[in-house]
Amino acid sequence: MRMGPTEATEHIRRIANDSDFDVLVTAHAKAKMNDRNLIMGDILHVLKNGFVFNEAEEAKQKGCFKYSMECTTPNSNGRKVRVIAIPSDDRPAAKIITIMWVDES
């Protein structure tokens, strides 16, 4: 289900704070984390506390949507981190596509 930015922010925060939250990090996202010296805690912090500012993009899998969520993290030295995630509609889970600095082009 496609959500607007406010609804997506609330949904992602809710599932990320669920004790049963399951996160799948793609190999690409793991490589980008390594390149930027970011850790899993940074991803979780963004998902639990960040904001979605833009409209959803369709994911490769039909019926799924990618959301760009961002905020600073305790490990980011004041730089904003952006996480591209595909949240599940029916359970507390998300697939992390990539992670980047907001100020990078």
Side-chain angles (χ1 to χ4, degrees):
M1 152 182 82
R2 182 186 294 261
M3 297 174 272
T6 301
E7 185 181 5
T9 295
E10 292 169 358
H11 175 71
I12 294 168
R13 285 181 176 184
R14 185 175 54 255
I15 65 172
N17 281 291
D18 189 297
S19 61
D20 292 328
F21 184 59
D22 186 24
V23 62
L24 169 68
V25 181
T26 64
H28 173 80
K30 287 178 184 175
K32 295 302 176 184
M33 287 170 59
N34 189 47
D35 291 347
R36 292 164 176 87
N37 293 318
L38 296 170
I39 59 174
M40 189 63 192
D42 294 301
I43 289 177
L44 294 174
H45 185 86
V46 172
L47 297 177
K48 290 178 178 184
N49 302 289
F51 294 89
V52 175
F53 294 110
N54 302 312
E55 294 298 322
E57 291 183 31
E58 234 178 292
K60 290 180 183 177
Q61 185 175 347
K62 190 160 178 73
C64 292
F65 297 92
K66 297 186 286 187
Y67 296 91
S68 173
M69 192 168 211
E70 58 189 63
C71 72
T72 58
T73 73
N75 188 43
S76 67
N77 294 317
R79 291 177 79 182
K80 281 191 177 179
V81 177
R82 178 178 293 140
V83 173
I84 308 299
I86 302 172
S88 174
D89 290 337
D90 59 351
R91 64 187 187 92
K95 181 177 183 179
I96 308 306
I97 305 301
T98 194
I99 185 170
M100 65 197 74
W101 299 116
V102 170
D103 60 10
E104 288 180 341
S105 56

